[in-house]
Amino acid sequence: MLLAPDRPRPVRTAARSALDRRGFLTAGVLAGVAAAAGCSPAGPGGEPAAGGRTVEHPLGTAVVPEAPQRIVSLDSNGGLQVGLELGVPLIASETLQGTAPVPPYLPAPAAGFTPLGFNQLNLEQLVAMGPDLIIGNTQRVEEHYDRLAAIAPTVAYENAGRGAVWQDAVRTIGDVFGAGAEIDRRLAAYAERVDRVRSAHAEVIDRYTVALLRFTTDELRIVRGQVFGSAVLADAGMTRPPSTDLASPQQTYVPIGDETVGVLADADVLLYFLGGGGLVDEADTTFERYTAGGLWEQLPAVRAGRVAQVDPLAWWDGYSVSAGLACLDELERVLGGLPR
């Protein structure tokens, strides 16, 4: 066996309840901040600042500073990752659940950076930080957009959960940060790397179908659609087997039950990872449960030794050029070990 090294996640009920209880307090805090500044709380998009840029986004319009100096990201994917690889002044961000809050393929955050945890929005904390720009994917921002926009200009962007192509989302984030030219350069370097992989391994890519699997806290899923790792496979020209098909292209996974593992028999190669996102706990137990049974051992890819583990920090949690290059590194190692 080769061994290398959705649906949008719901907000936890407890976290949502805690946030609702803080709503009245937050309103008072915002009013106090505005009073101290001699004005009423800013409406969505904040007060226009000298030299600001007007940015339209899925939830409205924001007036963004030309060179923001105190940026907060409300998601651990694009906002955090693009911010770190571009070196923008990111003072705080949502971080990943698990042992690696910030993926190792990214530059480390600067001194004074505040990790906000995974899916733990705290409006009072944001007020105290005094950001001049807040960014996050639509799922993280939309419920509290008006309150966030009263703290600082707030920009939302669409990601894989809404069917967005990851390169488009990353380019949008780079533009918001005022680094459009640099992000275009990085995306061009990624495209060149993709071309080299496709050229070097054309025979293998044309020969084998590949399924990308995720073992979560309680089930096995075929990853598909615009989820980052699935999109990288498509970029590299890999063919997906029919078992990945669903009626809607917006659906990001196909659930596999304990007794329906045989559906994976149409895949020549299986790439898998454990956990990712908010479904990290006990993913290894799920893996053991599914792979210990006879159905797994009977799969053609397993019998032929065409199975490889990959890193969830890149294939699931990734949303940046750095993550794409990390996925291509692992994919090349797998392709290089397959028979021509």
Side-chain angles (χ1 to χ4, degrees), residues 20-190:
D20 290 343
R21 288 196 298 272
R22 292 195 296 264
F24 295 105
L25 175 60
T26 300
V29 173
L30 292 175
V33 170
C39 62
S40 60
E47 294 293 332
R53 297 175 287 125
T54 299
V55 175
E56 295 184 0
H57 59 90
L59 301 180
T61 302
V63 179
V64 175
E66 286 290 351
Q69 296 301 306
R70 298 185 59 79
I71 301 172
V72 171
S73 167
L74 297 185
D75 71 81
S76 55
N77 302 122
L80 171 66
Q81 297 188 28
V82 176
L84 289 179
E85 68 180 5
L86 289 176
V88 302
L90 193 66
I91 63 169
S93 177
E94 177 189 80
T95 46
L96 296 173
Q97 183 173 324
T99 58
V102 175
Y105 48 75
L106 295 168
F113 172 84
T114 301
L116 301 180
F118 182 79
N119 200 11
Q120 298 178 34
L121 179 61
N122 183 324
L123 294 173
E124 296 99 312
Q125 183 183 24
L126 296 186
V127 170
M129 289 178 177
D132 60 5
L133 173 63
I134 298 172
I135 190 168
N137 62 58
T138 306
Q139 298 94 306
R140 285 289 192 263
V141 172
E142 60 187 339
E143 182 179 357
H144 304 285
Y145 174 66
D146 288 345
R147 283 183 279 181
L148 290 166
I151 298 171
T154 299
V155 176
Y157 71 92
E158 302 285 28
N159 67 357
R162 299 293 175 87
V165 176
W166 75 266
Q167 289 96 329
D168 292 342
V170 165
R171 185 174 288 108
T172 294
I173 298 167
D175 287 341
V176 172
F177 289 155
E182 174 61 15
I183 206 68
D184 283 344
R185 185 190 69 78
R186 290 173 178 266
L187 286 168
Y190 168 82

